[in-house]
Amino acid sequence: MTEIGIMQGRLLPAIDGRIQAFPWAGWTQEFDTARELGFDLVEFIFEGPNEATHPLMTEEGRSRILERIDATGIRVGSVCADYFMEHPLHRGDTAARARSVEVLRRLVEGAAAVGAVAVEIPCVDHASLDGSGEEDALCESLADVPQTALDQHVRILLETDLPPLRFARLLQSLDGHVGANYDTGNSASLGYDPVAEVRVLSPWIKNVHVKDRVLGGTTVPLGQGDAHFDAFFAALGDAGYEGPLVLQTARDPDDLGVARRYLATVRSWAQNHLGKAR
């Protein structure tokens, strides 16, 4: 049964005009709104500069998260670790990368404590992997973390803008301990063929971000960009995908109304192509 979630903050007012940010002031109430709209889970955002006091990183914060999960039935399915956009595991001197690895280890522990099953590391935009040297550096940084994460029932997922065959080679070099997060909007922006991508990457795809983007451009409302959703979901179904679908869609003045409509749309795609959806 396909679970459908939403990226944290999408059900609250935007912060400083940002499309995505951890909602310090209202994150607890978002669980209630997600339940009212019919979502199954939320994907938490982990970012700086106050990462040490993020709820996932403190005992008090994790207790509050578990209280909201118990009260609403809305799970924290995964964590989008935007922190590593600013502190990449594949860039900087040895000391800087070691600090990022330590943050990742602690984040995995926090994710496990609240029942999240994946921590996603975005290697896109200004954190894109630039050549084989940075791919090697990423593998070096991740040498021990993925197995430690699996021991805690958490999987490390990479989100990259690499062409699919190159991305698959990177994942193979990580011994199968690291999976992939697939983003429909980013794929559309890059001009990739989603069917070919799914065929190549399906063994590793464990989480899907659903959004739309124009070719070479920014995020737009679902259906107004260049994402080929029917072809993508058909390929995903053929691959036997059973993971969650997480809305990471464009912001709108009526975020709640849009989220309700998008949930119905994505549920329909899931029912048509992935079997029974909640």
Side-chain angles (χ1 to χ4, degrees), residues 16 19-20 23 25 59 68 81 94 113 115 128-129 132 162 169-170 196 233 237 239 243-244 248:
D16 298 328
I19 190 171
Q20 183 163 304
E59 289 189 17
R68 300 313 304 145
T94 302
S128 293
L129 292 160
S132 59
L162 297 174
R169 287 194 295 270
L170 172 61
F233 279 103
Q248 196 186 25

Side-chain angles (χ1 to χ4, degrees), residues 43 59 61 64 75 97 117 146 185 199 209 212 230 243 245 265:
E43 182 169 306
E59 289 189 17
R64 293 182 70 194
R75 296 192 304 105
R97 287 167 49 204
V117 297
R199 287 174 180 165
H209 287 170
D212 207 348
D230 283 331
L245 308 171
T265 298

Side-chain angles (χ1 to χ4, degrees), residues 25-271:
W27 68 267
T28 56
Q29 72 188 60
E30 197 166 28
F31 283 83
D32 296 281
T33 307
R35 178 186 59 183
E36 291 166 7
L37 293 178
F39 286 98
D40 302 302
L41 52 86
V42 294
E43 182 169 306
F44 256 48
I45 297 166
F46 177 75
E47 62 178 2
N50 300 312
E51 67 277 0
T53 57
H54 188 285
L56 286 169
M57 303 295 266
T58 69
E59 289 189 17
E60 179 184 357
R62 293 191 288 267
S63 294
R64 293 182 70 194
I65 293 170
L66 290 171
E67 287 172 1
R68 300 313 304 145
I69 293 172
D70 289 342
T72 63
I74 297 295
R75 296 192 304 105
V76 177
S78 48
V79 180
C80 184
D82 286 345
Y83 173 88
F84 299 107
M85 296 277 283
E86 302 298 330
H87 306 275
L89 292 156
H90 55 274
R91 198 172 294 160
D93 59 28
T94 302
R97 287 167 49 204
R99 286 193 294 272
S100 292
V101 169
E102 182 56 28
V103 170
L104 177 57
R105 291 183 189 278
R106 292 172 52 217
L107 178 59
V108 165
E109 292 174 359
V114 301
V117 297
V119 171
E120 302 158 11
I121 300 173
C123 300
V124 296
D125 300 329
H126 59 272
S128 293
L129 292 160
D130 184 12
S132 59
E134 291 199 339
E135 291 174 35
D136 291 343
L138 177 63
C139 291
E140 181 180 335
S141 293
L142 291 176
D144 301 318
V145 179
Q147 185 57 58
T148 300
L150 289 174
D151 290 343
Q152 300 181 73
H153 307 290
V154 175
R155 184 176 288 272
I156 303 294
L157 307 182
L158 298 181
E159 179 183 353
T160 81
D161 48 19
L162 297 174
L165 289 175
R166 184 174 159 193
F167 191 12
R169 287 194 295 270
L170 172 61
L171 292 167
Q172 287 172 336
S173 71
L174 289 161
D175 298 325
H177 292 162
V178 173
N181 176 83
Y182 185 94
D183 189 298
T184 60
N186 292 353
S187 177
S189 177
L190 293 162
Y192 292 154
D193 177 352
V195 175
E197 282 189 290
V198 171
R199 287 174 180 165
V200 171
L201 297 172
S202 60
W204 296 282
I205 297 174
K206 305 300 178 184
N207 191 53
V208 172
H209 287 170
V210 179
K211 67 171 180 272
D212 207 348
R213 290 179 65 174
V214 296
L215 180 63
T218 189
T219 303
V220 294
L222 289 186
Q224 296 185 21
D226 291 298
H228 303 293
F229 290 110
D230 283 331
F232 167 72
F233 279 103
L236 206 61
D238 290 342
Y241 179 75
E242 297 180 342
L245 308 171
V246 179
L247 294 181
Q248 196 186 25
T249 44
R251 302 304 298 251
D252 188 277
D254 181 22
D255 272 333
L256 297 187
V258 167
R260 192 188 305 274
R261 293 197 302 273
Y262 287 167
L263 173 59
T265 298
V266 174
R267 182 176 285 133
S268 176
W269 287 333
Q271 289 172 335

